[in-house]
Amino acid sequence: MTHDIPEPGDPFGTARLREATLRSWRDSPTRLTEDTNVERDLRVGAYRDRLFVELAQNAADAAMAGGKPGRVRVSLVDSELRFANTGAPLDARGVASLASLRASGKTGATVGRFGVGFAAVRTVSDEPRVVSVTGGVAFSAERTRQAAGTDGDVPVLRLPWPVPADVPPGFDTEVRLPLRDGVDGRALLGELAQDVADLLLALPWLGEFDVDGRVWTREADGDVVDIRGPERETRWLTHRGDVVWAVPVGADGAPRPLGEDVLHAPTPTDDGLSLPARLLAAVPVEPSRRRAQPGPELAEALEAAAKEYVELVRLLPPEHRFALVPVPGFPKSTVDAKLRDEVLEVLSGQTWLSTEDGVEVSGRQARVLDVDVPGLCALFAELVPGLLEGPAQVLKAVAVQVIGIEEVLETLTGVTRDPGWWREVYAALAIAVESHALAGERLEGLPVPLSDGRTLPGARGCLLVEGSAELLDLLSDVDIPGLRLVHPAASHPLLERLGAKQADARELLNADQLRDAVERSVEDVRSGLDGTTLAGAVLRLIADCADDAPRWVGALALPGTETWRRADELVLPASPLLDIFDEEVFEEDGAMDVLDEDFAEDWPQSTLEAAGVLDSFAVVVDDEPHEPDHDLPDEETWWDSLPEPPSTLVAIRDLDLVADDAWPAALRLLAARPGTWHALRTPRGHAGWWIAQYAVLEGAAPNEWRLPDADLAGLFDEVPDVGLTEDLLKIAGVRADLTLSSVDEAGDLLDRLADPARVVSPGLATRAYGAVVESGAEPGVPRAVRAADGSVVDDALVLDVPWVAGALEPGRYVVAPEDPERLADLLDLPLASGEPAEVTSEGEYAHWAELPALKLVADQLGIRLPEGGVLVHDPLTVHIQGADHDVQWWSDDRLHAADTSDGLARAFAWAAGRWPDRHLITALLDDPSPRTLFA
């Protein structure tokens, strides 16, 4: 038939295709609408973001048809996107496929080859063209409208027109897409550059991809595929059977598992996958190729793909295979859920795991430790059959039996091994503990070989001997139950972390067993045991440790004048404390005794002092104090007085043992030694607090005296001359000011203010009440109070507002410099502001702006006139406490002022918030000249 013969210039018979399509539109008026809707659906739906995927599929099919790897070049010429490729050129069947919305020319193993997916070009262009060495075709929205006789939307890809063959050299076909307005060609090239590597992996018939001069290549060497790009190279390990499984690998062959991916069929779909490797499989897909087609065929395809997954796993070295076990998590799609389950089932039943003895087993046949400890499984291989080294949390998913390290330790109990083998075990475990992969608490039962040949469970209480011969000799004659020395060949730092102690002199001295022996040594001696051996051994260790002896060595039993006592209850025979402590301290059963003179001569004084024997006052230091447990006098009372616990406690012991008449000498001794001098000067420290309240200077505590120059006359008497410097008196607590450090001090100060025998100036009384308020103490209510005129009264008001002071005599109120409410509560007195009062005189209201003299003063001082005004009285009379009083100003719910300079000045200063300037305002009202303000 003549219609089947292409016309000259129309090698693909496009005229026949157009005529057939136009006839169908004429014969069926709805067909044009249907085609338009189909193309629109493909453009905005299924193929909206698959332009390059679809064109790359066509290029791969052309390369396969041509029998050699294809090349692709994508470029942007002016506003036209061009996609050129090598391989089989365009033919009539391909053109027919291009012009069909419902059929594809795809056959055999081809991926797409000008099928329905070509509709993706419509997402960017209204005038697409395909040119090839055999000819070319063009599609046009405008020409289609003209041919169809319509102005509306039309199916562009239904009517092809011939165009001359115009293919760039070296290529066989090129798709040319004049970009629609608003389409950014550079952005499209950028998106393609991000996807090229994945396309080359998915489409093995493509060997080179050029994107605007940037070139990617694909090379395969056995199971490894290299995708080289302009910026980086990606290497994939692949298994190719009925499906392709691929995982990225590094240059060393180690896998780099994927985190998220999609099913490739073989090009990307929208079905998300969470497997570590990529699947490229010819599974059933929907016509849009965006999703897998659910059904029995898909289930069978995924099951078959999962069976081949283990082949990819076996391509990896045994130590890297764990990386391909799917990690737990929510599936990314129904395909993902099915595929993950199938893969895990295959890995559970197929052999792919290598045990420590080189046998390959399936997941169900393997055992793994619940912690990943490199090298440990090799040591345990003979003891735990089927054991392999790998990540337990990952391998649980493939039915590997996870065993706890505790179970292995039980297996080791009673096992006889060379001490060096134990050290290797400790070295492997140490790595896991240090990396926090294994909690040290789980190794409490770890066996430890001892020097005496025993192997005991647990390192706690064991001693790691350094320079063992001398130290063992030192302790050989001392019976210390529970002292366990680790075999030197098995010694490892891990044992120390698990509770063992280093057994040099310092660490031996800190051994719990030695501490127990020392703490019960007095009791043992008094029960008849000889304490000389233990005392000598401990003192030798103390001598080797210099000044680093622990506090508990003070419990060591040493000989006194009559019996053995704790070292920290003994005083050196020549100590100055013998003249400072009360004589009763050294009586039988007293708090202290004197060290035996002959014993004292056998040891250096520094060693004896390090053991706790006293030559001077002992200093107590605690770097992490949490509660009052240091045996200091009145420690709980002092602790409770602190706003917060000290970060470091530095205190002095035995201050309560000083004789009353020896305090000057005691203070001089405290000041003479650096340690006690520092403790004495510690801010808010126990020593200074206790001495200030409980030491005795001429019959009174230091805080009951004042320094000669202290402005406290009347409240406190001047300290007598006791032979101490002023600095030492001040540090001891003799008062230089009204600082209060306890409730007792606050109560004492209130009692002194209430004492009518004391002559206290009004200013000092006010400052004293302010000190009580500032201290935050809660002393009891005093028997009387000191009024503003310095007199002692039983009843008064606490002045909290200034205007009441003008109506009452100073003997009727108490002045508080701040927080009068707090002072009123402490003194159990009413506030002045709460006292009933009434303005009884008539006044005339005047706005501040209506008082010219005040306006002038405000201008001179730069004060903005306050809102409102004042009631001016002549005179201003207030009824309070049963009597009328003429006052200068007053405030109730309104502001009142006498018609005087004083009255108006005070009311104005109060209203303007300039109360301290009231006297200056008074003077300016009387004389507004510059001399008053500046002279």
Side-chain angles (χ1 to χ4, degrees):
M1 295 185 299
T2 57
H3 291 292
D4 294 331
I5 301 173
E7 299 177 5
D10 187 8
F12 304 127
T14 61
R16 176 176 52 80
L17 293 174
R18 291 195 306 275
E19 177 59 29
T21 300
L22 290 171
R23 185 184 311 115
S24 69
W25 289 350
R26 289 192 298 270
D27 294 343
S28 176
T30 61
R31 182 61 181 269
L32 174 61
T33 302
E34 292 174 359
D35 287 352
T36 301
N37 292 339
V38 169
E39 184 174 292
R40 182 188 304 110
D41 290 344
L42 294 174
R43 183 179 76 244
V44 302
Y47 293 95
R48 64 183 180 277
D49 53 2
R50 294 179 61 86
L51 172 64
F52 292 114
V53 170
E54 297 299 332
L55 294 180
Q57 289 177 357
N58 291 336
D61 290 341
M64 183 175 66
K68 59 185 297 187
R71 294 185 299 111
V72 172
R73 185 181 71 187
V74 183
S75 58
L76 188 65
V77 179
D78 295 329
S79 61
E80 183 174 83
L81 185 69
R82 296 184 176 182
F83 191 101
N85 62 271
T86 61
L90 185 65
D91 57 19
R93 183 175 182 177
V95 172
S97 295
L98 290 175
S100 173
L101 295 176
R102 297 176 177 83
S104 172
K106 171 182 175 181
T107 61
T110 59
V111 179
R113 193 56 181 151
F114 294 130
V116 179
F118 187 71
V121 301
R122 288 287 287 117
T123 62
V124 300
S125 179
D126 293 332
E127 308 288 332
R129 288 173 292 157
V130 181
V131 296
S132 187
V133 293
T134 54
V137 293
F139 299 90
S140 169
E142 183 58 33
R143 295 178 71 178
T144 299
R145 292 188 189 96
Q146 293 175 4
T150 181
D151 294 332
D153 197 4
V154 292
V156 174
L157 299 182
R158 293 290 280 128
L159 301 182
W161 279 272
V163 294
D166 181 17
V167 183
F171 294 91
D172 297 303
T173 304
E174 185 172 63
V175 178
R176 297 176 179 175
L177 305 174
L179 296 178
R180 187 184 301 115
D181 291 344
V183 177
D184 187 341
R186 288 296 168 191
L188 289 174
L189 294 179
E191 294 172 4
L192 174 59
Q194 296 177 6
D195 298 334
V196 166
D198 287 344
L199 289 173
L200 286 175
L201 176 66
L203 302 171
W205 278 99
L206 293 184
E208 179 181 294
F209 218 118
D210 181 330
V211 180
D212 199 29
R214 303 172 66 195
V215 178
W216 285 259
T217 61
R218 181 189 197 277
E219 294 183 6
D221 181 9
D223 298 319
V224 178
V225 175
D226 280 319
I227 310 295
R228 295 186 176 91
E231 297 177 355
R232 67 188 183 96
E233 175 183 350
T234 305
R235 175 171 294 179
W236 295 79
L237 179 66
T238 63
H239 161 73
R240 292 186 177 272
D242 291 336
V243 300
V244 176
W245 283 104
V247 63
V249 294
D252 58 354
R256 297 174 179 175
L258 300 176
E260 292 186 7
D261 201 13
V262 295
L263 173 66
H264 287 66
T267 51
T269 68
D270 287 348
D271 289 309
L273 295 183
S274 61
L275 294 173
R278 174 169 294 175
L279 172 61
L280 300 97
V283 300
V285 293
E286 296 175 349
S288 67
R289 303 191 60 80
R290 301 186 73 87
R291 290 193 178 278
Q293 180 71 50
E297 294 82 2
L298 176 63
E300 292 176 5
L302 295 179
E303 183 177 349
K307 291 179 180 178
E308 294 192 33
Y309 188 81
V310 71
E311 301 298 335
L312 176 68
V313 176
R314 289 174 181 150
L315 292 176
L316 289 168
E319 65 273 16
H320 292 316
R321 294 175 182 177
F322 313 120
L324 293 192
V325 177
V327 299
F330 291 106
K332 303 297 182 183
S333 63
T334 55
V335 172
D336 187 37
K338 172 67 175 175
L339 192 57
R340 281 165 53 93
D341 290 344
E342 295 290 347
V343 165
L344 291 174
E345 180 61 27
V346 168
L347 295 180
S348 299
Q350 295 293 319
T351 58
W352 62 280
L353 292 165
S354 182
T355 64
E356 288 300 322
D357 51 9
V359 179
E360 287 216 344
V361 296
S362 68
R364 294 188 180 92
Q365 296 170 327
R367 305 172 78 186
V368 66
L369 294 176
D370 63 351
V371 291
D372 189 7
V373 183
L376 190 61
C377 291
L379 294 169
F380 293 161
E382 295 181 14
L383 304 173
V384 185
L387 187 64
L388 57 86
E389 188 172 302
Q393 291 301 316
V394 172
L395 293 175
K396 281 169 57 177
V398 292
V400 174
Q401 181 185 355
V402 180
I403 59 176
I405 192 69
E406 296 86 353
E407 182 178 343
V408 177
L409 296 184
E410 290 180 7
T411 304
L412 296 180
T413 301
V415 171
T416 301
R417 286 291 188 275
D418 182 86
W421 181 87
W422 287 105
R423 180 178 174 84
E424 291 184 46
V425 172
Y426 302 153
L429 291 171
I431 296 174
V433 172
E434 290 170 3
S435 66
H436 303 290
L438 176 63
E441 294 79 5
R442 300 183 61 191
L443 300 177
E444 290 184 356
L446 181 65
V448 179
L450 304 183
S451 295
D452 60 8
R454 293 179 298 158
T455 300
L456 298 181
R460 190 168 301 281
C462 293
L463 299 178
L464 302 167
V465 181
E466 295 179 359
S468 59
E470 181 180 354
L471 294 178
L472 287 172
D473 288 343
L474 178 65
L475 299 172
S476 60
D477 295 332
V478 183
D479 183 14
I480 304 177
L483 193 64
R484 303 184 297 179
L485 303 179
V486 179
H487 194 291
S491 178
H492 190 277
L494 174 67
L495 298 179
E496 183 177 2
R497 186 163 185 164
L498 298 180
K501 300 294 183 181
Q502 287 292 339
D504 60 5
R506 180 174 288 101
E507 297 301 332
L508 274 174
L509 190 58
N510 283 281
D512 292 340
Q513 296 80 5
L514 183 61
R515 177 175 181 169
D516 292 341
V518 168
E519 290 181 341
R520 66 172 181 267
S521 60
V522 172
E523 180 182 348
D524 288 345
V525 170
R526 292 180 179 176
S527 66
L529 298 179
D530 182 11
T532 305
T533 303
L534 179 63
V538 174
L539 289 176
R540 279 284 305 276
L541 291 173
I542 291 174
D544 290 344
C545 293
D547 297 329
D548 200 22
R551 288 173 53 189
W552 55 259
V553 298
L556 179 65
L558 296 179
T561 56
E562 299 293 336
T563 185
W564 287 65
R565 299 283 292 265
R566 289 172 55 104
D568 57 11
E569 293 178 356
L570 293 169
V571 177
L572 291 173
S575 169
L577 294 176
L578 295 173
D579 297 325
I580 291 176
F581 284 169
D582 193 293
E583 292 180 357
E584 294 180 357
V585 170
F586 299 104
E587 293 179 357
E588 186 176 358
D589 296 329
M592 290 286 176
D593 196 0
V594 181
L595 183 66
D596 179 81
E597 290 190 21
D598 292 336
F599 189 88
E601 291 176 358
D602 292 337
W603 295 95
Q605 180 175 327
S606 59
T607 299
L608 294 172
E609 289 188 43
V613 182
L614 299 180
D615 179 56
S616 181
F617 287 95
V619 176
V620 177
V621 178
D622 187 349
D623 292 329
E624 296 183 1
H626 298 297
E627 56 185 19
D629 59 353
H630 306 87
D631 295 327
L632 301 172
D634 300 286
E635 185 178 2
E636 289 191 8
T637 302
W638 164 73
W639 191 276
D640 292 341
S641 73
L642 298 173
E644 59 183 21
S647 58
T648 299
L649 183 142
V650 182
I652 301 172
R653 261 185 47 198
D654 305 322
L655 294 173
D656 54 338
L657 303 183
V658 176
D660 288 349
D661 60 354
W663 269 107
L667 288 169
R668 284 191 288 269
L669 178 61
L670 290 169
R673 304 292 176 97
T676 51
W677 178 240
H678 171 65
L680 195 62
R681 300 177 63 193
T682 299
R684 302 186 70 84
H686 173 270
W689 173 86
W690 194 90
I691 290 173
Q693 298 185 87
Y694 300 107
V696 179
L697 296 179
E698 292 295 327
N703 65 2
E704 297 180 26
W705 300 107
R706 66 173 174 85
L707 295 175
D709 295 335
D711 186 17
L712 304 174
L715 278 177
F716 297 94
D717 297 331
E718 182 178 336
V719 63
D721 184 4
V722 291
L724 300 176
T725 65
E726 183 172 316
D727 285 344
L728 189 52
L729 288 171
K730 184 183 297 185
I731 290 173
V734 177
R735 293 195 174 277
D737 53 36
L738 287 171
T739 301
L740 304 176
S741 60
S742 69
V743 174
D744 290 342
E745 288 189 5
D748 176 65
L749 186 55
L750 290 179
D751 289 342
R752 290 171 182 268
L753 288 167
D755 185 356
R758 293 184 177 275
V759 178
V760 181
S761 68
L764 179 57
T766 299
R767 294 195 299 276
Y769 281 126
V772 174
V773 170
E774 185 179 354
S775 72
E778 296 280 352
V781 178
R783 63 182 184 275
V785 295
R786 186 77 57 164
D789 62 354
S791 63
V792 176
V793 296
D794 296 329
D795 187 25
L797 302 175
V798 174
L799 190 66
D800 62 330
V801 291
W803 52 85
V804 177
L808 301 180
E809 295 298 325
R812 297 298 303 146
Y813 55 83
V814 176
V815 177
E818 57 184 46
D819 201 353
E821 291 84 359
R822 167 75 175 154
L823 182 61
D825 185 54
L826 291 173
L827 301 181
D828 194 22
L829 295 177
L831 291 168
S833 61
E835 186 71 11
E838 180 184 2
V839 176
T840 59
S841 60
E842 293 294 329
E844 182 178 350
Y845 180 80
H847 195 281
W848 296 114
E850 297 172 356
L851 301 172
L854 275 174
K855 286 183 62 178
L856 177 60
V857 170
D859 180 65
Q860 287 178 293
L861 297 178
I863 300 174
R864 185 175 181 178
L865 289 176
E867 297 293 332
V870 63
L871 284 169
V872 182
H873 301 253
D874 187 15
L876 173 58
T877 304
V878 175
H879 186 81
I880 186 171
Q881 291 190 347
D884 288 335
H885 301 271
D886 288 342
V887 296
Q888 291 298 320
W889 74 296
W890 196 262
S891 178
D892 39 31
D893 54 347
R894 297 181 297 177
L895 198 60
H896 305 263
D899 191 10
T900 64
S901 297
D902 285 343
L904 290 172
R906 282 163 170 74
F908 179 75
W910 184 262
R914 300 290 289 267
W915 183 245
D917 294 331
R918 60 192 181 278
H919 301 298
L920 176 58
I921 295 172
T922 300
L924 287 171
L925 286 174
D926 290 336
D927 181 8
S929 67
R931 179 180 302 168
T932 304
L933 184 60
F934 300 110

